Amino acid sequence: FVAHKAVYGLILNSFQELYHKVASLVFNDAEFRKTTLEFYHELKQSCETHDYHRAVACMELNRQRSVSLWSEVLKKLPPNLGE
């Protein structure tokens, strides 16, 4: 960790199980996987061509898409997710 604080690792590790549960819900969704892959391909190409404006536009579009996709994921969360 940049701050060299062991407590950050403890905090992050305490969310590990929850992170894995949420990640499995998210990446089991084909549309979410497709959108994520397209984003990283577009961002990579923007960076390789040093196209700052394209990279910014790509990140903005991804943010908008992510909001929509996450709202759908949140509707499908099992009630016992945090247990």
Side-chain angles (χ1 to χ4, degrees):
F1 295 102
V2 175
H4 302 291
K5 304 281 185 191
V7 71
Y8 294 139
L10 294 172
I11 292 168
L12 292 174
N13 286 337
S14 68
F15 289 109
Q16 184 177 7
E17 186 178 338
L18 180 61
Y19 172 81
H20 286 287
K21 287 179 182 180
V22 172
S24 69
L25 287 171
V26 168
F27 290 105
N28 280 329
D29 183 300
E31 185 64 25
F32 209 105
R33 286 193 314 272
K34 178 179 176 269
T35 300
T36 301
L37 186 60
E38 288 172 353
F39 163 68
Y40 282 112
H41 283 302
E42 180 74 18
L43 185 61
K44 179 182 178 205
Q45 193 171 30
S46 301
C47 292
E48 290 173 344
T49 59
H50 306 284
D51 190 340
Y52 166 79
H53 297 291
R54 181 177 170 195
V56 170
C58 173
M59 289 186 283
E60 174 61 22
L61 180 59
N62 184 65
R63 186 192 61 76
Q64 292 169 3
R65 287 179 176 164
S66 292
V67 167
S68 174
L69 290 169
W70 271 106
S71 67
E72 291 302 313
V73 167
L74 292 175
K75 291 176 187 175
K76 300 173 189 173
L77 289 180
N80 64 343
L81 181 69
E83 296 176 359

